[in-house]
Amino acid sequence: MSSHEERPEAPDGFVALPAPTAWPLVLAFGLLLIFLGVVTSAAISLLGLVLAVSGGIGWFGEVLPQERHELISMEAHEFAPKSTYRAVSRIHIDAQHRAHLPVTTPSVTAGLKGGVAGGIAMIVPATLYGLIAFHSFWYAVNLLGGAGVADWTNPTMAQITHFRLSALVTAAVIHAALSLLVGLLYGATLPMLPRHPILLGGLFAPLLWTGVLHASLSLINPFLDQKIHWVWFVVSQIAFGMVAGWVVAKQAHIRTQQYLPFAARVGLETPGLIAERHQEGLDQRTESGEEGR
Amino acid sequence: MADSTLPVDRPMELPGDLPGEQPGFTWLETLHTWVTTVDHKKLGLMYIGYALIFLLVAGVEALLMRVQLMVANNHFLSPEVYNRLFTMHGTTMVFLVGMPFIIGFANYLVPLMIGARDMALPRLNAFSFWMTALGGFFLYYSFLGAVGLQGAGSAPDTTWWGYAPLTERAFSRGHTMDYWALALVMSGIGTIGAAVNVIATVFCMRCKGMTLFRMPLLVWLNLTTAGLILVTISPLTAAQIMLLIDRYLGGHFFDSQAGGSPVLWFHFFWIFGHPEVYVLVLPAFAIANEVIPTFSRKAIFGYPAMVAASAGIAFISLGVWAHHMFTVGMSAPGNAFFVLSTGLVGVPTGIKIFNWIATMWGGKIRFTVSMMFAVAFVAQFLLAGLTGIMLSMAPWNWQLHDTYFVVAHFHYVLVGAIVFCIFSGLYYWFPKMTGKLLSERLGKWHFWLFVLGFHMTFDFMHIPGLLGMPRWIYTYQPGFGWEKWNILVGVGAFVQGIAILLFSFNMVRSYLKGAEAGPDPWDAWTLEWATSSPPPPYNFAIEPVVASRRPLWDQKHPEDPDWRYE
């Protein structure tokens, strides 16, 4: 921040600025000709070299032994900035505003329970579809368990509707893992949905991921795309979502770290801070709300 | 606390003071003042003017390509000309439009925003501009001078990223690729000079009270971009020199038949190429960071988080390049690393989007044309990011690599985000640069036509990509289901072209007959609005003193200054 002081003293009413110069252009043009000579003729490169050296020397002459400046006249006067908006208003945030953050959350086990319950619930419509449409208990199991992929490409309908142990094992693993993971996800995200958590988590979320799957499955696995009945698929997903959401929402919630003071949340050593704050009845939420602008 | 008064100035209009702007001077004298100038504002305007000219050139190239693709089995363009057009369109848009625009804005605004009289290295600034400008003209001279297989009228034709080994002498005869490589080396030197200058200016020229964390976000983001340029232009320049060694001195860096590796080129190019996206988009974010708070009448939400997110994006962007190369056959851990690192970019980017929305939330929003472009940018950049996440997944990428889905995605970023922000910035700072307001009525026509054309072109362009249409093909057989989409895409491109012509007309008309802007037409808060429009050569007669991130807010609201809260 000392550059202004380094400029030479100018008479009153004038300011010293770097003087215009053509030498940078001469240098750049010289380099251009050097490059142009590469694709045309060495003579052009030679001319470019002469120009570039001249430009460099001229540039040095501009700054050594002293930087060349020119004087520009000026007139200082007071600028009085005015705003068309005279009033300053504040955005008021009520004390409950941060309640939309997950200040409480279901425990990990609640998510797992929800996932298990949802996983069981979605088996019902999926199996029902197989029984009604193909008179087979195993249709949905075999589709999930690998029909159309790896070493079981292009299976016949008879194969898909009959029991196959490897497909059952694969489907069970996939179904259990996905159910538990999505259940955990519900446990983490449902407290963030401010209203109607079961509706949003149970209905809209399954519709959303079904839509994504419907749009992309023809690219990922065209065989599966042809074999899935999307109405029944949506019904089974909603069954999962509603049941998992309901189970998670009914479980006892635990407090998140949002209840703790900031210093404690970032891991600073603050002995006694939590106890003191409880005694004073202070809440981090109201503090930050007051300071927000 | 520092004094928050802000004395500023008005130039004495003495004869001989501003020769280029005084009546009675010949056009040659005026030209001389511009050619020899080292003033950051004139150089900034020259960068922007240069970029606008090449925007029109690249736009015409794009329209010619869209005409060619509007119907199947079209022979409007030959395959050779089509290859040159898409190569020159891409090269032009990145190196001769995007870069000069962002460097031009940085040149014009950074010194003004930090209360300085000029850039730290004004002569280097002039040299950088001329290197960039002459590099561009050198590239286009290839249409005349690069005698390739097709004779005169040839030009580079191996895509904007120089598809190795097509660039080797065995496959690219003549000098087309030499012009391409040398032009990029030249403009690269100019870009590095500009980056060095921005860094030196920010660290050495700030006015009193302007601590790093009181700098406007535009300055922060241009500082970050300058750092990124220094890291990324170097591998590009190295690769171009290696290519020239291959072509002239019998090297074999990228010649697979002699033990070289085209994949080496891919690595070199994309180590530059992907961060280049952020070199272009961070200054676009910088424009939004100034426009959105001003027209929401609120301070930017989460200033420190915005700074950290910008640095985070720059850092992460250096580790994602090989997501452009999933189909070359990398190892599984390599694929996994670049999938994850690319996904990670979404975190700081998401922070920015949330903060822009939070800035608008509860604000008293004024939908000027500048703000409309900024709001459209936020929405479109979000969509561009979503398709980016899709493409960052290796299996998805394997399906869609080199299809029009990819073309649609990166045009969503380059046009939907960067060009929209550039328009936003031009509407916002044109009054400062010229002293005249752009017509809002014409601007709204420009905005809505451009939005319509943009979405017709690039929304629908995703679909032929999903249907398997490869990029770079000059024509196609009917029956793939691509025809109707290409017609819509072509019509949308022409609508965009009309919008840009309207904008050009608006600029000329407003410059000649527009309403006087005054020093502070938007009731804004940063230092560039504390001087006359256009600013005098010395910017500020007396060095400003600032005490907060919004010095003009402090002046306008002495009862409620920001420095109480920062």
Side-chain angles (χ1 to χ4, degrees), chain B residues 418-486:
Chain B
I418 296 166
V419 173
F420 268 71
C421 275
I422 287 171
F423 281 134
S424 174
L426 285 172
Y427 278 92
Y428 188 63
W429 283 295
F430 185 88
K432 177 54 57 183
M433 294 168 175
T434 64
K436 299 292 179 66
L437 288 165
L438 279 168
S439 161
E440 286 281 303
R441 189 161 152 267
L442 282 174
K444 281 178 181 161
W445 274 100
H446 166 212
F447 172 78
W448 286 113
L449 278 173
F450 200 68
V451 165
L452 176 70
F454 168 79
H455 285 282
M456 270 188 84
T457 303
F458 298 114
D459 291 7
F460 293 135
M461 192 183 277
H462 287 87
I463 298 170
L466 284 170
L467 295 174
M469 181 173 175
R471 60 196 290 202
W472 302 320
I473 54 170
Y474 93 104
T475 191
Y476 50 90
Q477 296 295 316
F480 292 112
W482 303 342
E483 294 97 321
K484 62 185 173 199
W485 302 113
N486 278 312

Side-chain angles (χ1 to χ4, degrees), chain A residues 1 3 21 75 77 79 83, chain B residues 8 10 36 204-206 523:
Chain A
M1 283 185 269
S3 59
T21 173
E75 180 187 351
H77 70 107
F79 174 66
S83 176
Chain B
V8 288
R10 178 177 292 165
T36 59
C204 304
M205 304 285 283
R206 299 191 311 278
D523 198 353

Side-chain angles (χ1 to χ4, degrees), chain A residues 207-271:
Chain A
L207 282 176
L208 201 63
W209 76 58
T210 303
V212 171
L213 201 61
H214 181 259
S216 57
L217 198 62
S218 60
L219 295 170
I220 299 166
N221 191 331
F223 178 83
L224 267 185
D225 187 48
Q226 290 166 7
K227 298 294 177 189
I228 286 177
H229 192 287
W230 287 99
V231 174
W232 282 91
F233 187 86
V234 168
V235 170
S236 65
Q237 301 303 312
I238 290 175
F240 175 91
M242 299 292 278
V243 173
W246 183 78
V247 169
V248 170
K250 289 296 169 191
Q251 300 298 308
H253 286 202
I254 56 172
R255 285 180 169 188
T256 66
Q257 288 198 340
Q258 295 296 326
Y259 270 105
L260 298 176
F262 178 74
R265 274 184 281 149
V266 296
L268 299 177
E269 282 194 30
T270 51

Side-chain angles (χ1 to χ4, degrees), chain A residues 1 3 15 20-21 25 35 39 67-68 72-75 77 79 83-86 88 90 293, chain B residues 8 10 14 17 35-36 117 123 138 178 186 204-206 366 523 538 555-557 560 562 565:
Chain A
M1 283 185 269
S3 59
V15 61
T21 173
L25 170 59
F35 287 146
V39 286
E67 192 177 354
R68 198 163 72 84
I72 301 285
S73 62
M74 64 178 182
E75 180 187 351
H77 70 107
F79 174 66
S83 176
T84 49
Y85 297 85
R86 292 309 308 161
V88 178
R90 305 208 172 268
R293 296 193 71 218
Chain B
V8 288
R10 178 177 292 165
L14 297 174
D17 186 9
V35 166
T36 59
R117 288 215 171 114
R123 293 168 192 83
F138 185 71
D178 305 322
M186 275 196 76
C204 304
M205 304 285 283
R206 299 191 311 278
R366 289 183 291 170
D523 198 353
Y538 43 85
Q555 286 270 295
K556 293 170 182 174
H557 300 279
D560 186 34
D562 270 4
Y565 305 95

